[in-house]
Amino acid sequence: MTGFGDVTQRLAGNSYTVDEESHIEIDQDLARKTGTGKLLVKVCPAHVYSENEDGTISVIFAACMECGTCLAVASPGSLKWHYPNGGFGIAFREG
Ligand code: SF4
């Protein structure tokens, strides 16, 4: 059985090539009205999203693992997400 320690060790082998352009965009008003913002904070395994005191959502796109979970929970129109431009994003090292 694999424990969290093993997973952390495996993830540590990944590397990121960060683009200047974000591949994630939030419609702040819609995210707040629909509750999507709070969901994004909860579900993202890479902690890309965080909620500010004023209710807006900050995005640290460089940490994205490209898992797609945020797309599954976002209400229509509240989140624009695409894979990072060619050559950028995460490179998984675990074989
Ligand atoms: Fe987080 Fe996955 Fe969405 Fe990237 S694709 S922001 S890691 S939930």
Side-chain angles (χ1 to χ4, degrees):
M1 189 168 160
T2 304
F4 284 114
D6 295 325
V7 171
T8 301
Q9 219 169 16
R10 290 178 182 188
L11 291 174
N14 298 331
S15 65
Y16 295 83
T17 305
V18 180
D19 196 354
E20 291 180 8
E21 177 188 331
S22 177
H23 63 287
I24 303 170
E25 188 180 324
I26 294 178
D27 181 323
Q28 296 285 350
D29 288 339
L30 200 50
R32 184 181 302 129
K33 284 178 191 163
T34 61
T36 289
K38 292 186 185 300
L39 281 175
L40 295 176
V41 173
K42 282 186 185 172
V43 303
C44 176
H47 304 290
V48 166
Y49 304 101
S50 59
E51 186 173 16
N52 302 308
E53 285 185 14
D54 65 359
T56 58
I57 303 297
S58 290
V59 179
I60 303 174
F61 69 91
C64 179
M65 297 172 61
E66 303 170 29
C67 68
T69 306
C70 53
L71 289 174
V73 302
S75 61
S78 63
L79 177 70
K80 287 183 184 169
W81 188 101
H82 60 80
Y83 283 105
N85 293 322
F88 293 101
I90 190 169
F92 294 98
R93 298 293 185 208
E94 180 66 21

